[in-house]
Amino acid sequence: MGDISRFNGNGSSAAGDGRRKSCWYEEEIEQDLRWCYALNGILHTGESQYQDIALLDTKPFGKALVIDGKLQSAEIDEFIYHECLVHPALLHQMNPRNVFIMGGGEGSTAREILRHKTVDRVVMCDIDEEVVDFCKSYLVANREAFCDLRLQLVINDARAELKKIEERFDVIIGDLADPIEDGPCYQLYTKSFYESILKPRLKEDGIFVTQAGPAGVFSHTEVFSCIYNTLRNVFRYVVPYSAHIPSYADTWGWIMASDTPFTLDSEELDSRIRQRINGENRYLDGKTFASSSLLSKAVRKSLAKETQVYTEDTAKFIYGHGTCHKQL
Amino acid sequence: MGDISRFNGNGSSAAGDGRRKSCWYEEEIEQDLRWCYALNGILHTGESQYQDIALLDTKPFGKALVIDGKLQSAEIDEFIYHECLVHPALLHQMNPRNVFIMGGGEGSTAREILRHKTVDRVVMCDIDEEVVDFCKSYLVANREAFCDLRLQLVINDARAELKKIEERFDVIIGDLADPIEDGPCYQLYTKSFYESILKPRLKEDGIFVTQAGPAGVFSHTEVFSCIYNTLRNVFRYVVPYSAHIPSYADTWGWIMASDTPFTLDSEELDSRIRQRINGENRYLDGKTFASSSLLSKAVRKSLAKETQVYTEDTAKFIYGHGTCHKQL
Amino acid sequence: MGDISRFNGNGSSAAGDGRRKSCWYEEEIEQDLRWCYALNGILHTGESQYQDIALLDTKPFGKALVIDGKLQSAEIDEFIYHECLVHPALLHQMNPRNVFIMGGGEGSTAREILRHKTVDRVVMCDIDEEVVDFCKSYLVANREAFCDLRLQLVINDARAELKKIEERFDVIIGDLADPIEDGPCYQLYTKSFYESILKPRLKEDGIFVTQAGPAGVFSHTEVFSCIYNTLRNVFRYVVPYSAHIPSYADTWGWIMASDTPFTLDSEELDSRIRQRINGENRYLDGKTFASSSLLSKAVRKSLAKETQVYTEDTAKFIYGHGTCHKQL
Amino acid sequence: MGDISRFNGNGSSAAGDGRRKSCWYEEEIEQDLRWCYALNGILHTGESQYQDIALLDTKPFGKALVIDGKLQSAEIDEFIYHECLVHPALLHQMNPRNVFIMGGGEGSTAREILRHKTVDRVVMCDIDEEVVDFCKSYLVANREAFCDLRLQLVINDARAELKKIEERFDVIIGDLADPIEDGPCYQLYTKSFYESILKPRLKEDGIFVTQAGPAGVFSHTEVFSCIYNTLRNVFRYVVPYSAHIPSYADTWGWIMASDTPFTLDSEELDSRIRQRINGENRYLDGKTFASSSLLSKAVRKSLAKETQVYTEDTAKFIYGHGTCHKQL
């Protein structure tokens, strides 16, 4: 038995390697392109009326929330998505006090909003109660946000809710699935929705911001350019911006829109960050936003030439994003 | 909200498909050949002094025990492996009362032995207490076996244990990892071990049987033919046999050896199965064993020509089976 | 530059490993089970009116013919499939002189038949001329067979051809895709086809044999047991048999049927092999066939209980085998 | 036979889908992260004294050059890498006439340089003649460049060549593998190489630019930050910049360095592009470079804190980039 330590050492290293690479999550980015990450475990799985949901423990990205087979949010880099979604709009608004989130059931969007000292009311309107409950239970980083008294959680279709209420908001945030043809969120990206339902619920100097799908050199034609063009038909000032998110294996896009011009330079943004936001941003500051909102020549040309507008009748297809993850 | 049922249907089906294929376990059969099965979940994982262990919930094979990255035993077809390992030897023995298992910590080998009415004592000698505890806790099918009063569990190296004890057995069963060069189980497959340690612990009409690695048309040259040839140098009568095990993606081999001839035909085997075994076999009966022990021309020729004998000095390599899963 | 040999060595080994595992062919055995083999290259690809065809150079199995995404025939082990398909029927027939192949465009079935000294005429009837031409050009092992003057190649639907001709055959061989519901070969496996079209083209002591799909402990329920039961309704004597084919990742099945009993034992088979077959078989001999035709208890029970018969109206589904690879 | 068109349609669609996803190239980005793209074919493979090389026809990225198992250059987006590597340095230089490329055997770097009207001499110094010949033969897009009379091709180690020659260059470009510990290119990234060998071969207002490895929010710590810090110890002005390259599944980095300050704003860059570059850039213009050279907060912080300098003694490890693809 004198050899045990040797066998053990031997065994462990073999085991370590073997085991490390055996369980994989395979995400189809496109039909002929896959992004595969090794798993430590499958922490929780659930199923709601609308969606399947899982919390995975991945090796490269930490814990990851997967909805209907698509990675939504990974521990390691969700801060990029959520800082980019929330802070530019809130910082450009003069004094954001109330904010409406369409979707956002994960809780991270609310968490970032609640870091703003000016904010005294956040309405998060997600249609899927089970997903919200799942995230409340398992996403430790958002627990505090879910308990914040300034947060009002509404379980409803965002369109129905915005139609019903009379409150007007400083900022409205779209944290929804991409607008795919026949997809359930499509109607939350149309010109008529923006004009007749959403815009009336924004204050005069209010800002709307939405996630806007992949924004890579090629992938921006899937939905990013159309969302941009649709918003250009509804608001006077529209600012598209983008950032590479490692766990998405792509550059992602957001678009900010308002009838009030966006005039802050990066020093002014940095100064508002210091004044208004509790804690320190990890990703976004003035220079980062300046860089993010300067799109590359290829994307700028393509956006300038875009003519399609999302209406109830037209739609564009985006591969594999067929289900509404956060909102109907 | 009138559209929800449509969206839901849409979403569910997409979800169903997407989710179903996303988590995979990837087993390297050889360096350039992989066997990949979809996972429902990773039920339990653990680590012992010697090995890594996991209980997976796989889609094609049900619950599966994986040790050091290799699938050991799958709910759907472990009965093939364990019926083939246990019953031919016990049935051919005149009146098997005591049985010694080298390894076997999973418990399934003991479970099959304990179905024999003649058996009043089983010694299971496995070196890895944590693996045994893991299997006791999680493998529901073997719970009864682990509690059977006829079973004595010893935590020790099988060679050391066989050297120490003076009892002689009707049947000794090798349920160990394959004999790979520098691998920890190698010394439990050598001619000198069989001659000086194992054989003295068999009664005169005792039978030894061992799992003997892959036994496919090509894969039998990895270790099966050498174990066969080694045993042929130690025992007068040696019977190799094989069966295809779906979850292993290969045909598997076992070898039975004794100094007493094996003379039963398939009717006699069937009659002993009826008399001696509680419950009904799912895989093995007289005709199945007749078929299993008639190897194909290609394998028979190769076995006949085999000249290598496992000694402390020689060894043969088998890919990726580098760690001793059950026994040092 | 003195370090180059070191770098080179370093580079080569890394390169070797890296390169070796980078290109993979992925075959979906079932929806949740994949068989993946590394590729050296993609030698030829083509497309016919009916099917897609490729010749791959695989690392584990050598050159492999892939039709409509399914591996049909691999250099390393196609001899198992083709020896099992051809020789048992021809050997059991008293004096096989003419043989009809339904499908078989690859040429390997003809090659094995032409090794029989008694045979003076082989009709190979495949619907897909391009596939036949592809195989003629690229499958070196079958070149001689394609040039044999005893071989008559007919490009036609096998059913139409058998209906049209008046010749009767000693042996008819079905080398077709599996009978899947709505699949194009389904009608070549029905009771009415066997009774009214095929059987009349067999001589009185003629033998029909067909490939019969997967025949593993579980997979035999896909089509093997139904083809068996259908033939049992048409012929007096029916012999199912099976063998594990490594590149298929499963045990495969064939079924032989006749109105004349099959009475040869394994010595008689061996003697006919010596007398009638040129060259030496690699896989099949008397004992191998004895073993192959003794099915395991699990499969025997399941076959005995099978009640389904393939008719124009009923069908059974087999996953992923949806296209007729060889014949309409 | 009236059903053929139906079968055919059926078959084709199944075939199309099945075939489309069967051959994959699998690139290990990290040990637990894979990037997998479907293949149409493997066009050419070769092996040089130093490296393995292959030209793949990929579905998502078009033709792709793979060296030692890593995708180097894909038809669809190599323009991003090469425009970013070449144009910023040449544009910032007052009047670039002669340019030295370390590595660059693919030819794309030379192609971009030769678009500059000011350039009358390009020296491309690659150690691997076979790779250069392979690219000359197969990369159609670079054929013209390889034939340009201004291009001088030298087969040699870049360090040895720079030591030997006395010419001084307006721009030197590093198009080499990443500096990995014990890797063959490591010595072409050290402080002493930059100081004593490279810098003396630059004219006084000369500019050095090098590819600098992954530059993502996390991946920039592999080598990007250290190359940056090393260059900061050798040159007075150092500009790091980055861009997302879809086929690399990451953001990539380049670093430009000089003892002359970089003072152009984006309008001046655009004006020089119009004056000096033949044809139109697809990716890079003034705004794109402004965005690329504004790094995100996370990366800027990390670069500012970097203390490591590449010397002959220290090194940092980057996973899986173990071989020098282009240069020793």
Side-chain angles (χ1 to χ4, degrees):
Chain A
M1 295 287 284
D3 281 346
I4 282 202
S5 63
R6 181 174 124 250
F7 293 151
N8 191 17
N10 195 348
S12 302
S13 80
D17 283 335
R19 197 185 35 163
R20 220 177 249 132
K21 302 174 175 183
S22 300
C23 290
W24 291 88
Y25 193 85
E26 190 178 288
E27 187 168 337
E28 241 181 49
I29 300 288
E30 297 168 33
Q31 199 184 3
D32 47 17
L33 189 59
R34 293 181 187 157
W35 189 231
C36 304
Y37 28 97
L39 295 179
N40 290 316
I42 300 169
L43 300 178
H44 302 285
T45 56
E47 214 167 317
S48 78
Q49 190 186 348
Y50 307 109
Q51 333 176 55
D52 291 304
I53 185 162
L55 190 64
L56 305 178
D57 183 4
T58 78
K59 285 179 191 295
F61 308 128
K63 285 176 195 162
L65 185 70
V66 174
I67 298 190
D68 284 346
K70 306 293 289 182
L71 187 148
Q72 295 295 308
S73 200
E75 198 176 22
I76 202 180
D77 62 9
E78 58 91 0
F79 69 92
I80 303 176
Y81 175 91
H82 291 103
E83 292 189 7
C84 286
L85 175 63
V86 167
H87 300 313
L90 268 77
L91 290 170
H92 278 90
Q93 219 280 340
M94 194 60 70
N95 184 34
R97 302 198 40 186
N98 63 345
V99 181
F100 186 92
I101 311 170
M102 307 194 287
E106 178 189 327
S108 306
T109 298
R111 179 198 67 210
E112 291 300 317
I113 296 168
L114 291 164
R115 291 176 54 209
H116 283 254
K117 298 172 190 164
T118 58
V119 168
D120 52 26
R121 171 166 163 73
V122 179
V123 180
M124 181 206 295
C125 177
D126 198 295
I127 203 167
D128 195 332
E129 187 158 23
E130 285 112 313
V131 164
V132 173
D133 287 345
F134 185 99
C135 295
K136 256 192 201 169
S137 307
Y138 297 123
L139 302 187
V140 179
N142 299 342
R143 264 191 198 157
E144 212 178 318
F146 275 117
C147 298
D148 196 301
L149 293 172
R150 295 171 289 168
L151 177 67
Q152 181 194 350
L153 178 57
V154 178
I155 302 298
N156 195 3
D157 167 37
R159 196 167 72 152
E161 186 68 18
L162 285 172
K163 249 179 164 164
K164 195 182 72 183
I165 61 177
E166 295 185 6
E167 186 175 355
R168 296 180 74 183
F169 294 89
D170 294 308
V171 176
I172 297 180
I173 296 181
D175 190 10
L176 301 157
D178 295 329
I180 51 162
E181 191 166 7
D182 292 331
C185 296
Y186 181 76
Q187 57 191 337
L188 292 163
Y189 287 91
T190 60
K191 191 181 165 203
S192 70
F193 167 71
Y194 288 144
E195 260 175 355
S196 356
I197 299 176
L198 185 142
K199 210 172 164 184
R201 300 270 64 75
L202 272 182
K203 294 186 190 160
E204 216 148 298
D205 63 348
I207 297 176
F208 170 61
V209 65
T210 182
Q211 81 85 17
V217 173
F218 307 110
S219 60
H220 73 276
T221 58
E222 292 174 4
V223 299
F224 185 65
S225 60
C226 288
I227 300 176
Y228 168 73
N229 192 48
T230 304
L231 286 169
R232 206 163 46 171
N233 274 272
V234 178
F235 290 94
R236 289 183 62 190
Y237 303 98
V238 179
V239 178
Y241 55 101
S242 68
H244 176 232
I245 300 183
S247 68
Y248 287 8
D250 208 349
T251 286
W252 212 253
W254 302 265
I255 304 174
M256 202 161 63
S258 180
D259 281 345
T260 305
F262 299 97
T263 56
L264 301 185
D265 65 21
S266 64
E267 283 71 30
E268 289 164 316
L269 273 176
D270 280 334
S271 142
R272 288 200 179 172
I273 287 171
R274 277 190 305 273
Q275 289 159 20
R276 296 188 187 175
I277 302 184
N278 287 315
E280 203 193 330
N281 284 353
R282 293 176 62 192
Y283 184 74
L284 197 100
D285 64 1
K287 282 187 182 155
T288 305
F289 182 72
S291 174
S292 287
S293 54
L294 268 173
L295 302 177
S296 75
K297 177 182 178 183
V299 177
R300 288 201 326 274
K301 273 180 71 169
S302 181
L303 257 58
K305 289 192 303 191
E306 180 64 68
T307 58
Q308 204 185 340
V309 167
Y310 283 130
T311 68
E312 305 292 325
D313 303 324
T314 64
K316 279 199 83 172
F317 178 76
I318 171 170
Y319 181 79
H321 294 258
T323 47
C324 176
H325 354 292
K326 288 174 181 165
Q327 178 73 29
L328 285 197
Chain B
M1 296 284 285
D3 281 345
I4 282 203
S5 64
R6 179 174 125 250
F7 295 151
N8 190 17
N10 194 350
S12 301
S13 81
D17 284 336
R19 196 185 35 165
R20 221 177 249 133
K21 303 175 176 182
S22 301
C23 288
W24 291 89
Y25 193 85
E26 187 177 291
E27 187 167 337
E28 240 181 50
I29 300 288
E30 297 168 34
Q31 200 185 359
D32 47 17
L33 189 59
R34 293 181 187 158
W35 189 230
C36 304
Y37 27 99
L39 295 180
N40 289 314
I42 301 169
L43 301 178
H44 302 285
T45 56
E47 212 168 317
S48 79
Q49 189 184 350
Y50 307 110
Q51 332 176 55
D52 291 305
I53 186 161
L55 190 63
L56 306 178
D57 183 3
T58 78
K59 285 179 189 293
F61 307 128
K63 284 176 196 165
L65 185 69
V66 174
I67 298 190
D68 284 345
K70 306 292 289 182
L71 186 149
Q72 296 295 306
S73 201
E75 199 175 23
I76 201 180
D77 63 8
E78 60 90 1
F79 70 91
I80 304 177
Y81 175 92
H82 291 104
E83 292 190 6
C84 286
L85 175 65
V86 167
H87 301 312
L90 267 77
L91 291 169
H92 279 90
Q93 220 280 339
M94 194 59 71
N95 184 33
R97 304 196 42 185
N98 63 346
V99 181
F100 185 94
I101 312 168
M102 308 194 287
E106 176 188 329
S108 306
T109 298
R111 180 197 67 210
E112 291 301 315
I113 297 168
L114 291 164
R115 292 175 53 209
H116 283 255
K117 299 171 191 165
T118 59
V119 169
D120 53 26
R121 170 166 163 73
V122 179
V123 180
M124 180 207 295
C125 176
D126 199 296
I127 204 167
D128 195 331
E129 189 158 21
E130 284 113 312
V131 164
V132 174
D133 287 346
F134 185 97
C135 296
K136 257 192 201 169
S137 308
Y138 298 121
L139 303 187
V140 179
N142 298 342
R143 260 190 202 160
E144 210 178 320
F146 275 117
C147 296
D148 196 300
L149 293 173
R150 294 171 292 168
L151 176 66
Q152 182 195 347
L153 177 58
V154 178
I155 301 300
N156 195 4
D157 166 37
R159 194 166 75 151
E161 186 68 16
L162 285 172
K163 246 179 165 166
K164 194 182 72 184
I165 61 176
E166 294 187 6
E167 187 175 355
R168 296 179 73 180
F169 294 88
D170 294 308
V171 177
I172 297 179
I173 295 182
D175 190 10
L176 300 158
D178 295 329
I180 50 161
E181 191 165 8
D182 292 330
C185 296
Y186 181 75
Q187 58 191 337
L188 292 163
Y189 286 90
T190 61
K191 191 181 167 204
S192 70
F193 168 72
Y194 288 143
E195 260 175 355
S196 353
I197 298 176
L198 185 142
K199 209 173 166 183
R201 301 271 59 79
L202 272 181
K203 293 185 191 159
E204 217 147 298
D205 63 349
I207 297 176
F208 171 61
V209 65
T210 182
Q211 82 84 16
V217 174
F218 307 111
S219 60
H220 73 275
T221 59
E222 291 175 5
V223 299
F224 185 65
S225 61
C226 287
I227 299 175
Y228 169 72
N229 192 48
T230 303
L231 286 169
R232 203 164 49 172
N233 274 270
V234 177
F235 290 93
R236 288 184 63 188
Y237 304 97
V238 179
V239 177
Y241 56 101
S242 68
H244 176 232
I245 300 182
S247 67
Y248 287 9
D250 207 350
T251 286
W252 212 252
W254 302 265
I255 304 174
M256 197 162 66
S258 179
D259 281 346
T260 304
F262 298 96
T263 57
L264 303 184
D265 64 21
S266 62
E267 283 72 31
E268 291 164 314
L269 272 176
D270 279 335
S271 143
R272 288 198 179 173
I273 285 171
R274 279 190 302 274
Q275 290 159 22
R276 296 188 187 175
I277 301 184
N278 287 316
E280 205 195 327
N281 285 351
R282 294 176 60 191
Y283 184 76
L284 197 100
D285 65 359
K287 281 185 181 156
T288 305
F289 182 73
S291 175
S292 288
S293 54
L294 269 173
L295 302 178
S296 75
K297 179 182 176 182
V299 177
R300 290 200 324 275
K301 273 181 69 170
S302 179
L303 257 57
K305 289 191 305 192
E306 180 63 68
T307 58
Q308 203 186 342
V309 169
Y310 283 130
T311 68
E312 306 291 325
D313 302 325
T314 64
K316 282 197 81 172
F317 177 76
I318 174 171
Y319 181 79
H321 295 257
T323 46
C324 176
H325 356 294
K326 289 175 180 164
Q327 177 73 30
L328 285 198
Chain C
M1 295 284 286
D3 280 344
I4 282 203
S5 63
R6 180 175 125 250
F7 294 150
N8 190 17
N10 196 349
S12 303
S13 81
D17 282 337
R19 196 185 35 161
R20 220 177 251 133
K21 303 176 177 180
S22 300
C23 289
W24 291 89
Y25 193 86
E26 189 177 289
E27 187 167 336
E28 241 182 49
I29 300 288
E30 298 167 31
Q31 199 184 3
D32 48 15
L33 189 58
R34 292 181 188 159
W35 189 231
C36 305
Y37 28 97
L39 294 181
N40 289 315
I42 300 170
L43 300 179
H44 303 285
T45 55
E47 214 167 315
S48 78
Q49 191 186 349
Y50 307 109
Q51 333 177 54
D52 291 304
I53 185 161
L55 189 64
L56 306 178
D57 183 5
T58 78
K59 284 177 192 294
F61 306 129
K63 285 175 196 164
L65 185 70
V66 174
I67 298 189
D68 284 346
K70 305 294 287 183
L71 187 149
Q72 295 295 307
S73 200
E75 198 175 25
I76 202 179
D77 62 11
E78 59 90 0
F79 70 92
I80 304 176
Y81 175 91
H82 291 104
E83 292 190 7
C84 287
L85 175 64
V86 167
H87 300 313
L90 267 78
L91 292 169
H92 279 89
Q93 218 282 338
M94 194 57 70
N95 184 34
R97 301 199 42 187
N98 63 346
V99 181
F100 186 94
I101 312 169
M102 307 195 288
E106 176 189 329
S108 306
T109 297
R111 180 196 68 208
E112 291 301 316
I113 296 168
L114 291 165
R115 290 176 54 209
H116 284 254
K117 297 171 191 165
T118 59
V119 168
D120 52 27
R121 172 165 162 75
V122 179
V123 180
M124 180 207 295
C125 178
D126 199 295
I127 203 168
D128 195 332
E129 189 158 21
E130 285 112 315
V131 164
V132 173
D133 288 345
F134 186 97
C135 295
K136 256 192 202 169
S137 307
Y138 297 123
L139 303 186
V140 178
N142 298 343
R143 265 192 197 158
E144 212 178 319
F146 274 117
C147 297
D148 196 299
L149 294 172
R150 295 171 290 169
L151 177 67
Q152 183 195 349
L153 178 57
V154 178
I155 301 300
N156 195 4
D157 167 37
R159 196 166 72 153
E161 186 68 17
L162 286 172
K163 248 180 165 164
K164 193 182 72 181
I165 61 176
E166 295 187 6
E167 188 176 354
R168 297 180 72 181
F169 293 89
D170 294 307
V171 176
I172 296 180
I173 296 182
D175 190 10
L176 302 157
D178 295 329
I180 50 162
E181 191 165 9
D182 292 331
C185 297
Y186 181 76
Q187 56 191 339
L188 293 163
Y189 287 91
T190 59
K191 192 181 165 205
S192 69
F193 168 71
Y194 288 143
E195 260 176 355
S196 354
I197 298 176
L198 186 142
K199 209 173 166 185
R201 300 270 62 76
L202 271 182
K203 293 184 191 160
E204 218 146 297
D205 62 347
I207 298 176
F208 171 61
V209 65
T210 182
Q211 82 84 16
V217 173
F218 307 110
S219 59
H220 72 277
T221 58
E222 292 174 4
V223 298
F224 185 66
S225 60
C226 288
I227 299 175
Y228 169 74
N229 192 47
T230 304
L231 286 169
R232 206 163 46 172
N233 274 271
V234 178
F235 291 94
R236 291 183 61 190
Y237 303 98
V238 180
V239 177
Y241 56 101
S242 68
H244 175 232
I245 300 184
S247 66
Y248 288 8
D250 207 349
T251 285
W252 212 253
W254 302 266
I255 305 175
M256 201 162 62
S258 180
D259 281 347
T260 304
F262 298 97
T263 56
L264 303 183
D265 65 19
S266 63
E267 283 72 30
E268 290 164 315
L269 272 176
D270 280 335
S271 144
R272 288 199 177 173
I273 286 171
R274 277 190 304 274
Q275 290 159 21
R276 295 188 186 177
I277 301 185
N278 287 315
E280 205 194 329
N281 284 354
R282 293 176 62 191
Y283 184 74
L284 196 100
D285 65 0
K287 280 184 181 157
T288 305
F289 182 74
S291 174
S292 286
S293 54
L294 269 172
L295 303 177
S296 75
K297 178 182 179 184
V299 178
R300 287 200 327 274
K301 275 181 69 171
S302 181
L303 256 59
K305 289 190 303 191
E306 180 64 66
T307 57
Q308 203 186 340
V309 168
Y310 283 131
T311 68
E312 306 291 325
D313 302 326
T314 63
K316 282 199 80 172
F317 178 76
I318 171 169
Y319 180 78
H321 294 258
T323 46
C324 176
H325 356 294
K326 287 175 182 163
Q327 177 72 31
L328 284 199
Chain D
M1 295 284 288
D3 281 344
I4 281 200
S5 64
R6 179 175 126 249
F7 294 150
N8 190 17
N10 196 349
S12 302
S13 80
D17 284 337
R19 196 188 33 166
R20 222 176 250 132
K21 302 176 176 182
S22 301
C23 289
W24 291 89
Y25 194 86
E26 189 177 289
E27 187 168 336
E28 241 182 52
I29 300 288
E30 296 169 32
Q31 200 184 1
D32 47 15
L33 188 59
R34 292 182 188 158
W35 189 230
C36 304
Y37 29 98
L39 294 181
N40 289 315
I42 300 170
L43 300 180
H44 302 285
T45 56
E47 212 168 317
S48 78
Q49 191 185 349
Y50 306 109
Q51 330 177 59
D52 292 305
I53 185 161
L55 189 64
L56 306 177
D57 183 5
T58 78
K59 284 178 192 295
F61 307 128
K63 285 175 196 162
L65 184 70
V66 173
I67 297 189
D68 285 346
K70 305 295 286 184
L71 187 148
Q72 296 295 308
S73 201
E75 199 176 21
I76 201 180
D77 63 9
E78 58 90 1
F79 71 90
I80 304 177
Y81 175 91
H82 291 104
E83 292 189 7
C84 286
L85 175 63
V86 167
H87 299 314
L90 267 77
L91 292 170
H92 279 88
Q93 219 280 338
M94 194 57 71
N95 184 34
R97 303 196 44 184
N98 64 345
V99 181
F100 186 94
I101 312 169
M102 307 193 289
E106 177 189 330
S108 306
T109 298
R111 181 197 66 211
E112 291 300 317
I113 296 169
L114 291 164
R115 291 176 56 209
H116 283 255
K117 297 171 191 164
T118 58
V119 168
D120 52 27
R121 171 166 163 74
V122 178
V123 180
M124 180 207 296
C125 176
D126 199 295
I127 204 167
D128 195 331
E129 187 158 23
E130 284 111 313
V131 164
V132 173
D133 287 346
F134 185 98
C135 295
K136 258 192 202 170
S137 308
Y138 297 122
L139 303 186
V140 178
N142 298 341
R143 263 191 200 158
E144 210 179 320
F146 273 118
C147 296
D148 196 299
L149 293 174
R150 295 172 290 169
L151 177 67
Q152 181 194 349
L153 177 58
V154 178
I155 301 299
N156 196 4
D157 167 37
R159 193 166 75 152
E161 186 68 17
L162 286 172
K163 247 180 165 166
K164 195 182 71 183
I165 60 175
E166 295 188 6
E167 188 175 354
R168 297 179 74 180
F169 293 89
D170 293 309
V171 176
I172 296 179
I173 296 182
D175 190 10
L176 301 158
D178 294 330
I180 52 161
E181 190 164 10
D182 292 330
C185 298
Y186 181 75
Q187 57 191 337
L188 292 163
Y189 288 90
T190 59
K191 190 180 167 204
S192 70
F193 167 70
Y194 288 144
E195 260 175 354
S196 351
I197 298 176
L198 186 142
K199 208 173 166 183
R201 299 271 61 78
L202 271 182
K203 294 185 190 158
E204 218 147 296
D205 63 347
I207 297 177
F208 171 61
V209 65
T210 183
Q211 81 84 17
V217 173
F218 307 111
S219 60
H220 73 276
T221 58
E222 292 174 5
V223 298
F224 184 66
S225 60
C226 288
I227 299 175
Y228 169 73
N229 193 47
T230 304
L231 285 169
R232 203 164 48 173
N233 274 269
V234 177
F235 290 93
R236 290 184 62 189
Y237 303 97
V238 180
V239 178
Y241 57 100
S242 68
H244 176 233
I245 300 183
S247 67
Y248 288 8
D250 207 349
T251 287
W252 213 254
W254 302 266
I255 304 174
M256 200 161 64
S258 180
D259 280 347
T260 304
F262 298 96
T263 56
L264 303 184
D265 64 21
S266 62
E267 282 72 30
E268 290 163 315
L269 273 176
D270 280 334
S271 143
R272 288 198 178 174
I273 286 171
R274 277 190 304 274
Q275 290 158 21
R276 295 188 187 175
I277 301 184
N278 287 315
E280 203 193 329
N281 284 353
R282 295 177 60 193
Y283 184 74
L284 197 100
D285 65 359
K287 280 186 182 157
T288 305
F289 182 73
S291 174
S292 287
S293 54
L294 269 174
L295 303 177
S296 76
K297 178 181 179 183
V299 177
R300 289 200 325 274
K301 273 180 71 169
S302 182
L303 257 56
K305 288 191 305 192
E306 180 64 67
T307 58
Q308 204 185 340
V309 168
Y310 283 131
T311 68
E312 306 291 325
D313 303 325
T314 64
K316 281 199 81 170
F317 177 76
I318 172 169
Y319 180 78
H321 294 257
T323 46
C324 176
H325 353 296
K326 288 176 181 161
Q327 178 71 32
L328 285 198

